Coordinates of all heavy atoms in Angstrom, one line a residue:
Chain A
D62 N 8.7 -3.6 -29.0 CA 9.1 -4.0 -27.7 C 10.6 -3.9 -27.6 O 11.1 -3.4 -26.6 CB 8.7 -5.5 -27.5 CG 7.2 -5.6 -27.2 OD1 6.6 -4.6 -26.9 OD2 6.7 -6.8 -27.5
I63 N 11.3 -4.4 -28.6 CA 12.9 -4.3 -28.5 C 13.2 -2.8 -28.4 O 14.1 -2.4 -27.6 CB 13.4 -4.9 -29.9 CG1 13.1 -6.4 -29.9 CG2 15.0 -4.6 -29.9 CD1 13.5 -7.0 -31.1
A64 N 12.6 -1.9 -29.2 CA 13.0 -0.5 -29.2 C 12.8 0.1 -27.8 O 13.5 0.9 -27.3 CB 12.3 0.2 -30.3
V65 N 11.6 -0.2 -27.3 CA 11.2 0.4 -25.9 C 12.2 0.0 -24.9 O 12.6 0.8 -24.1 CB 9.8 0.0 -25.6 CG1 9.4 0.3 -24.2 CG2 8.8 0.6 -26.5
D66 N 12.5 -1.3 -24.9 CA 13.6 -1.9 -24.0 C 14.8 -1.0 -24.1 O 15.4 -0.5 -23.0 CB 13.9 -3.3 -24.1 CG 12.7 -4.0 -23.6 OD1 11.9 -3.6 -22.8 OD2 12.6 -5.4 -23.8
A67 N 15.2 -0.8 -25.3 CA 16.5 -0.1 -25.6 C 16.4 1.4 -25.1 O 17.3 1.9 -24.5 CB 17.0 -0.1 -27.1
A68 N 15.3 2.0 -25.4 CA 15.0 3.4 -25.0 C 15.0 3.4 -23.4 O 15.5 4.4 -23.0 CB 13.8 3.8 -25.6
Q69 N 14.3 2.5 -22.8 CA 14.2 2.6 -21.3 C 15.6 2.5 -20.7 O 15.9 3.2 -19.8 CB 13.3 1.5 -20.9 CG 13.0 1.6 -19.3 CD 12.3 2.8 -19.0 OE1 11.2 3.3 -19.6 NE2 12.8 3.7 -18.1
K70 N 16.5 1.5 -21.3 CA 17.8 1.4 -20.8 C 18.7 2.6 -21.0 O 19.4 3.1 -20.1 CB 18.4 0.2 -21.5 CG 19.8 -0.2 -21.1 CD 20.2 -1.6 -21.2 CE 21.6 -1.9 -20.9 NZ 22.4 -1.8 -22.1
A71 N 18.6 3.2 -22.2 CA 19.2 4.4 -22.4 C 18.7 5.6 -21.4 O 19.6 6.3 -20.9 CB 19.0 4.9 -23.9
F72 N 17.4 5.6 -21.2 CA 17.0 6.7 -20.3 C 17.5 6.6 -18.8 O 17.8 7.5 -18.2 CB 15.4 6.5 -20.3 CG 14.8 7.6 -19.5 CD1 14.6 9.0 -19.9 CD2 14.1 7.3 -18.2 CE1 14.0 9.9 -19.3 CE2 13.7 8.4 -17.5 CZ 13.5 9.6 -17.9
D73 N 17.6 5.2 -18.4 CA 18.1 4.9 -17.1 C 19.6 5.1 -17.0 O 20.1 5.3 -15.8 CB 17.7 3.5 -16.7 CG 16.3 3.4 -16.4 OD1 15.4 4.4 -16.3 OD2 15.7 2.2 -16.6
T74 N 20.3 5.1 -18.0 CA 21.8 5.1 -18.0 C 22.5 6.2 -18.6 O 23.3 6.9 -18.1 CB 22.4 3.7 -18.5 OG1 21.9 3.6 -19.8 CG2 21.9 2.6 -17.6
T75 N 22.2 6.5 -19.9 CA 23.0 7.4 -20.7 C 22.3 8.7 -21.1 O 22.8 9.6 -21.8 CB 23.6 6.7 -22.0 OG1 22.4 6.3 -22.6 CG2 24.6 5.7 -21.7
W76 N 20.9 8.7 -20.8 CA 20.2 9.9 -21.2 C 19.3 10.3 -20.0 O 19.8 10.2 -18.9 CB 19.3 9.5 -22.5 CG 18.8 10.6 -23.2 CD1 17.5 11.0 -23.5 CD2 19.6 11.7 -23.9 NE1 17.4 12.1 -24.2 CE2 18.6 12.5 -24.5 CE3 20.9 11.9 -24.1 CZ2 19.1 13.7 -25.2 CZ3 21.3 13.0 -24.8 CH2 20.3 13.9 -25.4
G77 N 18.2 10.8 -20.2 CA 17.3 11.1 -19.1 C 17.9 12.1 -18.2 O 18.5 13.1 -18.7
L78 N 18.0 11.7 -16.9 CA 18.5 12.6 -15.8 C 20.0 12.5 -15.8 O 20.7 13.0 -15.0 CB 17.9 12.4 -14.5 CG 16.4 12.8 -14.5 CD1 15.8 12.3 -13.2 CD2 16.1 14.3 -14.7
N79 N 20.6 11.6 -16.7 CA 22.0 11.4 -16.6 C 22.8 12.4 -17.5 O 24.0 12.5 -17.4 CB 22.3 9.9 -17.0 CG 21.5 9.0 -16.3 OD1 21.9 8.7 -15.1 ND2 20.6 8.4 -16.8
V80 N 22.2 13.1 -18.2 CA 22.8 14.1 -19.2 C 22.2 15.5 -18.9 O 20.9 15.6 -19.1 CB 22.6 13.8 -20.6 CG1 23.2 14.8 -21.6 CG2 23.2 12.4 -21.0
G81 N 22.9 16.4 -18.6 CA 22.5 17.7 -18.3 C 21.9 18.5 -19.4 O 22.2 18.1 -20.6
G82 N 21.4 19.7 -19.3 CA 20.9 20.5 -20.3 C 22.0 20.9 -21.3 O 21.6 20.9 -22.5
A83 N 23.1 21.2 -20.8 CA 24.1 21.7 -21.7 C 24.5 20.6 -22.7 O 24.8 20.9 -23.9 CB 25.3 22.2 -20.9
G84 N 24.6 19.3 -22.2 CA 25.0 18.2 -23.1 C 23.9 18.0 -24.2 O 24.2 17.8 -25.3
R85 N 22.7 18.1 -23.8 CA 21.7 18.0 -24.8 C 21.6 19.1 -25.8 O 21.3 19.0 -27.0 CB 20.3 17.9 -24.1 CG 20.1 16.8 -23.0 CD 18.7 16.6 -22.6 NE 18.1 17.8 -21.9 CZ 18.0 17.9 -20.4 NH1 18.5 17.0 -19.7 NH2 17.4 19.0 -20.0
A86 N 21.9 20.3 -25.2 CA 21.9 21.5 -26.1 C 23.0 21.3 -27.2 O 22.8 21.6 -28.3 CB 22.2 22.7 -25.3
K87 N 24.1 20.8 -26.8 CA 25.3 20.6 -27.7 C 24.9 19.7 -28.7 O 25.2 19.9 -29.9 CB 26.5 20.2 -26.9 CG 27.7 20.7 -27.4 CD 28.9 20.5 -26.2 CE 29.5 19.3 -26.0 NZ 30.4 18.7 -27.0
M88 N 24.3 18.5 -28.4 CA 24.0 17.6 -29.3 C 23.0 18.0 -30.4 O 23.1 17.7 -31.5 CB 23.6 16.2 -28.6 CG 24.7 15.4 -28.1 SD 24.1 13.9 -27.3 CE 24.9 14.0 -25.8
L89 N 22.0 18.6 -29.8 CA 21.0 19.2 -30.8 C 21.5 20.2 -31.7 O 21.2 20.3 -32.9 CB 19.8 19.7 -30.0 CG 18.9 18.7 -29.4 CD1 17.9 19.5 -28.4 CD2 18.0 18.2 -30.5
G90 N 22.4 21.1 -31.2 CA 23.2 22.1 -32.0 C 23.9 21.4 -33.0 O 24.0 21.8 -34.2
K91 N 24.6 20.4 -32.7 CA 25.5 19.6 -33.7 C 24.5 19.0 -34.7 O 24.8 19.0 -36.0 CB 26.1 18.4 -33.0 CG 27.1 17.7 -34.0 CD 28.4 18.4 -34.1 CE 29.1 17.8 -35.4 NZ 30.0 16.6 -35.0
L92 N 23.4 18.5 -34.4 CA 22.5 17.9 -35.3 C 22.0 18.9 -36.3 O 22.0 18.7 -37.5 CB 21.3 17.2 -34.6 CG 20.2 16.6 -35.5 CD1 20.8 15.5 -36.4 CD2 19.1 16.1 -34.6
A93 N 21.6 20.1 -35.8 CA 21.2 21.2 -36.7 C 22.3 21.6 -37.8 O 22.1 21.8 -38.9 CB 20.8 22.4 -35.9
Q94 N 23.6 21.5 -37.2 CA 24.7 21.8 -38.1 C 24.9 20.8 -39.2 O 25.1 21.1 -40.3 CB 25.9 21.8 -37.3 CG 27.0 22.7 -37.7 CD 28.3 22.4 -36.7 OE1 28.0 22.5 -35.5 NE2 29.4 22.2 -37.3
L95 N 24.7 19.5 -38.7 CA 24.8 18.5 -39.7 C 23.7 18.5 -40.8 O 24.0 18.2 -42.0 CB 24.8 17.0 -39.0 CG 26.0 16.8 -38.3 CD1 25.8 15.6 -37.4 CD2 27.2 16.4 -39.2
M96 N 22.5 18.9 -40.3 CA 21.4 19.0 -41.3 C 21.7 20.1 -42.4 O 21.5 19.9 -43.5 CB 20.2 19.2 -40.6 CG 19.6 18.1 -39.8 SD 18.3 18.6 -38.7 CE 16.8 18.8 -39.9
E97 N 22.3 21.2 -41.9 CA 22.6 22.3 -42.7 C 23.7 21.8 -43.8 O 23.5 22.2 -45.0 CB 23.2 23.4 -41.9 CG 22.7 24.8 -42.2 CD 23.1 25.8 -41.3 OE1 23.8 25.6 -40.2 OE2 22.8 27.0 -41.6
E98 N 24.7 21.1 -43.3 CA 25.6 20.6 -44.2 C 25.0 19.7 -45.3 O 25.7 19.6 -46.4 CB 26.7 19.8 -43.4 CG 27.7 20.6 -42.7 CD 28.6 19.9 -41.7 OE1 28.7 18.7 -41.9 OE2 29.1 20.5 -40.8
H99 N 24.1 18.9 -44.9 CA 23.3 18.1 -45.9 C 22.1 18.5 -46.5 O 21.2 17.8 -46.9 CB 23.2 16.7 -45.3 CG 24.4 16.0 -44.8 ND1 25.3 15.2 -45.7 CD2 25.2 16.0 -43.7 CE1 26.4 14.8 -45.1 NE2 26.4 15.3 -43.9

Side-chain angles (χ1 to χ4, degrees):
Chain A
D62 289 338
I63 295 170
V65 169
D66 283 345
Q69 187 63 52
K70 182 145 169 278
F72 185 75
D73 292 334
T74 56
T75 57
W76 197 242
L78 298 170
N79 303 292
V80 176
R85 303 192 297 262
K87 212 156 77 77
M88 282 180 230
L89 282 165
K91 183 82 200 274
L92 179 60
Q94 206 183 318
L95 288 167
M96 289 171 73
E97 225 173 353
E98 284 165 24
H99 295 275

